[in-house]
Amino acid sequence: MQQYHSYEEILAVLRQTPKGAARAEILNVEANRKLVLNSGANVTLFCGCPAAGKSMKAKLQNVYVGLLERLNAKSGKPEGFGGLGGLSERTNKDEFFALSLPQQEELIGLKDDVVLDEFNCPVLTDDIDIIRKNNVIRETYEEMGNLGIYDFVPDADKLELVEMPGVRDDNYILNVWNGGGQVWAVTPFCHILHAEEELLTRLSEQSLLKRHELNSEARSFHKMPLFEALPRWGGSLGGEKSEDGRDMTYDYRYPHEWLVSWRIASDCLKHDAQSMKTLAAEVQSSVHHRLDFENALQCMGQTTGWADGVLKLPSGTVARMQETAGQIWNLQQNRDKTNAVSGI
């Protein structure tokens, strides 16, 4: 496979390349992908602690996650649920050094790679740990602002990175992009942040006050029981579909953000393999679509073994969760067929 040498060159090639496998072949060359690489970052707020209970649902009944219900700013159509976040905003050296000092200072808080040094002067950084945190803070402020909420910014020092080595968010450039404007392959950085329940309640209530900005990219902020968030990948009943046929009035928009909900559950259950297998069984039993970890992982270019590490579970656990959910799904399908034949 040919290697390209600039963003402009590879972009011109990708514009002429059919969506799907042909574009993937180009970006599977790491040197090519780096030419169109950007990072993104998000945070999922959560609150509560596990309780005593006979079922996994009962044990997680006091645990909630804060999820943004996203909209397309131009069309107003639903674009799924997820954490607070988005693409990083960066500048390049030529642009930065062409600016005056006051102009450089104005980039603080607007560009995630512009920071103050020890002399309180603006400088460029390539430290991804700084960039990802600035990315979360800026995007949270912008998305909350879309809802008319301007009094919440997460504490950067309390963001907990969910390690996802090698994860990719390339679906847009591979399968959606029609060739217009700029586009990126994305390496996402996911975070969790434990918060007080009162905060999630307040943000949820404020989001319903209809103080949205014009062309808002968010409909509302939900304080959602964790158990209800866990199955939200693979639903297909709603009218507004993603490019891969999922229900954007129900599903998470991005698989890596959905996986974060399972990491929160794993933390709550002390990374116990049997508890997570039982949880997968209960979640599958609660919905009418396939709980499919392998599908979500394939979208990220990863395997169930990789997911074991992300969820801090013993080797082979996610594969067993997948198998258990599949067995229950098959029973559900057979029951539905039997009921249909019986006229129930």
Side-chain angles (χ1 to χ4, degrees), residues 19 22 46 51 59 111 119 129 133 182 222-223 300:
K19 297 175 184 178
F46 73 100
K59 290 182 178 180
K111 297 293 185 178
F119 304 108
D129 289 329
K133 291 180 180 180
Q182 292 186 320
H222 291 252
K223 174 190 170 187
M300 295 183 275

Side-chain angles (χ1 to χ4, degrees), residues 19 171-172 175-176 241-246 248 253-254:
K19 297 175 184 178
N171 181 63
Y172 188 83
N175 301 310
V176 181
K241 297 292 198 300
S242 64
E243 63 280 352
D244 55 350
R246 294 180 298 107
M248 289 292 93
R253 183 68 180 88
Y254 301 108

Side-chain angles (χ1 to χ4, degrees), residues 23-35:
R23 289 183 182 177
E25 186 177 359
I26 294 172
L27 294 186
N28 281 338
V29 178
E30 197 61 28
N32 288 339
R33 186 171 184 266
K34 286 181 178 179
L35 295 174

Side-chain angles (χ1 to χ4, degrees), residues 272-283:
D272 180 71
Q274 183 57 50
S275 294
M276 291 295 285
K277 180 180 173 181
T278 303
L279 176 62
E282 287 190 21
V283 171

